[in-house]
Amino acid sequence: MARIHNYFVYILECADKSYYVGVTNDLEIRLTQHNDGENVLAYTFTRRPVILKYYLRFDQIEDAIDFEKQVKGWSRKKKEALFKEDWDEIVKLSNYKIK
């Protein structure tokens, strides 16, 4: 029987209102690590506290990494549309032409 894996792409809002996108296999622990400032070199270290704004679960790490890379390239407005799951706005902000 195949083992189900949990991988999460997550978006944090930092204290300076910037967004951080990451991937993890344990969302709760990772959020604690960000807020505890475990890595002084991390983007979020000087931007604490952070707030979880969005996450999406994946079964395969490759899919999670692909989505993380995609979302990292998105504009602030497009990420905010994702928080609201406003798919029409995401398409609009993608400059995607529906034929």
Side-chain angles (χ1 to χ4, degrees):
M1 179 174 221
R3 185 170 184 265
I4 296 175
H5 296 281
N6 287 307
Y7 302 100
F8 301 91
V9 173
Y10 61 95
I11 304 175
L12 304 176
E13 182 179 47
C14 300
D16 66 358
K17 300 301 181 193
S18 64
Y19 293 129
Y20 175 84
V21 181
V23 65
T24 185
N25 65 349
D26 192 318
L27 191 55
E28 189 174 327
I29 287 174
R30 191 69 184 112
L31 185 56
T32 299
Q33 289 171 336
H34 279 291
N35 273 316
D36 286 350
E38 290 190 11
N39 180 356
V40 298
L41 301 177
Y43 176 84
T44 56
F45 184 79
T46 59
R47 294 169 172 89
R48 294 175 288 149
V50 298
I51 299 166
L52 180 65
K53 296 294 284 186
Y54 180 84
Y55 70 91
L56 186 62
R57 192 190 74 75
F58 293 85
D59 293 329
Q60 301 296 319
I61 187 62
E62 297 84 5
D63 295 334
I65 291 169
D66 288 346
F67 187 65
E68 176 199 25
K69 288 178 182 177
Q70 181 181 19
V71 172
K72 280 185 175 184
W74 287 6
S75 68
R76 180 177 187 83
K77 285 185 178 185
K78 195 169 176 181
K79 289 173 187 164
E80 290 170 349
L82 180 64
F83 303 159
K84 296 181 241 173
E85 297 184 344
D86 185 344
W87 307 115
D88 292 334
E89 184 69 7
I90 290 170
V91 169
K92 178 181 156 193
L93 292 168
S94 298
N95 296 321
Y96 182 75
K97 306 282 190 249
I98 300 175
K99 296 180 181 182

